[in-house]
């Protein structure tokens, strides 16, 4: 049996990128694997949430994970900060992570550009904490979107380095996972880049029908094709990418052909995509509302998850400490 681990930072509601990149297809893995799905609340601290927002966001991700189909009877669903073993492993791995490689991480360089006033040490060592999340259960597979590929590569490197340094074969080298397919990148509706929580370019699992329609109508396109069989510009290609994942194949092909013969009307395509998104999101949103009102259930899920995650984490940490030479008197 393989150990699978997936995580989402608690910085807001889940969007389509999170859903397709890290949840939807992996729900079925709960049946055959040892699955851990967790909420990365320590990672959210890099942007300094208020105490009220911190808890609200954690709860929201937990609810939306459940709404998306995670079954706490099958998978372990927990909050990162409920498992102190992760922090200890993070500390230990930090001794073995080097400034140069951390500074070269794309996500760090990105933050250095975007938020030079808050370039804290947590951002620098973000990939080490992520490695600790993964290695604490000695995970084999990590379902992630394309944007996390480099972080996964670093987790593999830290695992390998630990094994080499202590001449053991303790840690697995965790693999980014999408059933052998390329990792997914869901684009945003603003024409460039990926869908994100803070970019204002996303469709969220909690969005109402009319919000979805409005967002789609505002999505960036262009004047339309003028030469047959041309390649769509990025914003239009992005809509096709979303359509390919959300709509059925006939619909996707229909609009692709219309694009190819220059008869496409973007308004029709957007309307169709909005309706297909609504079909996908309505049951999820209804689940979110239902689960959200059941405090006892949410509390129970979090507490059982924490207990199970700590049991697994404790075992790993005990071995790591032994390998490194910690001994009690
Ligand atoms: P986060 O919270 O930004 O995203 C959570 C998951 O959703 C995926 N994702 C996407 N996939 C496809 N297209 C998109 N537009 C898109 N946006 C987000 C991400 O790739 C990710 O799988 N650092 C992580 C959280 C984390 C974690 C971990 C993940 C902490 N520790 C250990 C896996 C393993 C993050 O910020 O993801």
């Amino acid at each position: 049996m393989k150990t699978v681990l997936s995580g989402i930072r608690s910085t807001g509601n889940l969007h389509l990128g999170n859903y397709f990149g890290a949840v939807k297809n992996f729900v079925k893995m709960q049946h055959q694997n040892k699955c851990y799905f967790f909420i990365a609340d320590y990672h959210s601290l890099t942007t300094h949430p208020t105490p009220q927002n911190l808890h609200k966001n954690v709860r929201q991700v937990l609810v939306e994970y459940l709404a998306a189909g995670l079954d706490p009877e099958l998978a372990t669903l927990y909050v990162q900060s409920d498992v102190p073993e992760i922090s200890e492993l993070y500390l230990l791995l930090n001794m073995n992570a080097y400034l140069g490689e951390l500074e070269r991480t794309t996500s760090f360089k990105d933050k250095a550009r975007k938020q030079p006033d808050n370039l804290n040490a947590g951002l620098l060592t973000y990939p080490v904490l992520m490695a600790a999340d993964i290695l604490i259960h000695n995970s084999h597979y990590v379902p992630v979107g394309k944007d996390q590929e480099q972080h996964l590569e670093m987790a593999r490197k830290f695992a390998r380095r630990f094994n080499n340094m202590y001449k053991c074969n303790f840690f697995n080298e965790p693999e980014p996972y999408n059933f052998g397919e390329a990792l997914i990148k869901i684009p945003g509706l603003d024409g460039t880049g990926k869908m994100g929580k803070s970019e204002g370019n996303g469709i969220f699992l909690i969005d109402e029908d009319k919000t979805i329609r409005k967002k789609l109508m505002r999505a960036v396109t262009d004047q339309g094709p003028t030469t047959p069989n041309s390649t769509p510009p990025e914003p239009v290609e992005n809509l096709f990418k979303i359509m390919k994942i959300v709509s059925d194949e006939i619909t996707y092909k229909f609009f692709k052909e219309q694009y190819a013969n220059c008869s496409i009307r973007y308004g029709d395509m957007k309307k169709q995509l909005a309706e297909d998104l609504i079909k996908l999101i309505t049951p999820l949103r209804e689940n979110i509302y239902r689960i959200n009102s059941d405090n006892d259930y949410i509390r129970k899920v979090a507490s059982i998850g924490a207990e199970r995650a700590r049991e697994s984490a404790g075992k790993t940490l005990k071995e790591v400490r032994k390998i490194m030479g910690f001994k009690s008197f």
Side-chain angles (χ1 to χ4, degrees):
M1 193 185 270
K2 298 290 185 190
T3 301
V4 179
L5 173 124
S6 180
I8 296 183
R9 210 164 15 122
S10 52
T11 43
N13 295 97
L14 301 202
H15 52 71
L16 282 189
N18 302 135
Y19 183 61
F20 285 108
V23 189
K24 181 177 183 281
N25 289 332
F26 310 105
V27 163
K28 61 183 177 223
M29 296 186 86
Q30 299 174 104
H31 298 276
Q32 302 95 8
N33 302 277
K34 201 166 188 183
C35 282
Y36 295 92
F37 287 85
F38 81 102
I39 299 148
D41 56 345
Y42 282 150
H43 279 105
S44 80
L45 295 180
T46 58
T47 47
H48 305 157
T50 63
Q52 295 82 344
N53 279 343
L54 179 69
H55 181 71
K56 191 171 88 196
N57 286 338
V58 170
R59 188 181 187 282
Q60 195 59 33
V61 177
L62 180 55
V63 168
E64 297 193 9
Y65 255 147
L66 291 164
L70 294 188
D71 180 348
E73 304 272 328
L74 298 173
T76 300
L77 195 50
Y78 64 96
V79 182
Q80 186 183 34
S81 62
D82 279 341
V83 184
E85 289 80 4
I86 298 169
S87 313
E88 186 172 338
L89 184 59
Y90 167 56
L91 181 147
L92 299 175
L93 291 174
N94 263 324
M95 306 304 161
N96 209 353
Y98 296 97
L99 185 60
E101 63 190 344
L102 296 174
E103 278 176 339
R104 279 194 301 276
T105 315
T106 311
S107 58
F108 183 72
K109 287 198 289 198
D110 220 39
K111 297 286 181 207
R113 219 168 9 88
K114 285 192 191 150
Q115 52 178 74
D117 297 338
N118 178 24
L119 209 51
N120 57 63
L123 283 171
L124 183 71
T125 58
Y126 190 104
V128 188
L129 181 53
M130 236 179 107
D133 293 328
I134 297 165
L135 300 179
I136 199 73
H137 302 298
N138 217 346
S139 313
H140 298 97
Y141 294 135
V142 188
V144 277
K146 178 95 184 132
D147 60 320
Q148 298 297 325
E149 201 168 29
Q150 190 182 33
H151 288 154
L152 251 291
E153 199 42 60
M154 294 181 81
R156 291 166 63 80
K157 200 199 283 182
F158 296 142
R160 205 158 47 232
R161 198 175 280 164
F162 181 93
N163 289 347
N164 287 339
M165 191 161 188
Y166 295 102
K167 300 190 177 36
C168 61
N169 195 13
F170 180 69
F171 282 127
N172 300 314
E173 283 187 37
E175 284 179 39
Y177 188 73
N178 186 24
F179 302 98
E181 302 280 321
L183 300 184
I184 287 181
K185 175 181 156 188
I186 303 286
L189 295 176
D190 52 355
T192 53
K194 63 163 183 162
M195 190 174 283
K197 281 174 194 145
S198 47
E199 333 298 329
N201 65 4
I203 300 274
F204 294 87
L205 306 190
I206 190 115
D207 277 349
E208 299 289 338
D209 297 357
K210 64 175 187 306
T211 312
I212 296 174
R213 289 194 186 102
K214 216 191 285 165
K215 284 182 177 176
L216 257 294
M217 284 306 143
R218 280 203 307 253
V220 178
T221 47
D222 66 352
Q223 306 292 325
T226 46
T227 21
N229 301 316
S230 55
T231 308
E234 197 184 354
V236 178
E237 184 55 32
N238 285 352
L239 286 184
F240 275 121
K241 275 190 188 150
I242 298 176
M243 187 168 237
K244 189 161 199 305
I245 291 178
V246 172
S247 306
D248 60 35
E249 195 162 338
I250 297 171
T251 308
Y252 172 75
K253 278 195 175 147
F254 174 78
F255 285 103
K256 267 282 181 190
E257 271 162 30
Q258 287 210 327
Y259 188 90
N261 65 27
C262 304
S263 66
I264 192 162
R265 286 162 48 159
Y266 290 137
D268 293 345
M269 180 185 175
K270 287 175 167 185
K271 262 191 210 141
Q272 179 67 48
L273 184 52
E275 294 316 306
D276 291 339
L277 279 164
I278 288 169
K279 222 186 287 165
L280 170 83
I281 284 177
T282 302
L284 296 170
R285 187 182 61 231
E286 284 169 359
N287 283 348
I288 293 173
Y289 282 121
R290 184 174 42 78
I291 297 166
N292 208 9
S293 60
D294 195 345
N295 261 328
D296 285 347
Y297 177 60
I298 296 169
R299 205 175 305 123
K300 205 165 103 197
V301 169
S303 107
I304 291 173
E307 197 181 307
R308 280 201 229 136
R310 286 202 70 181
E311 196 188 320
S312 152
K315 276 188 199 147
T316 308
L317 192 61
K318 194 168 164 211
E319 282 303 308
V320 168
R321 288 176 59 97
K322 198 160 102 192
I323 291 168
M324 290 180 75
F326 289 98
K327 275 188 189 154
S328 48
F329 290 96

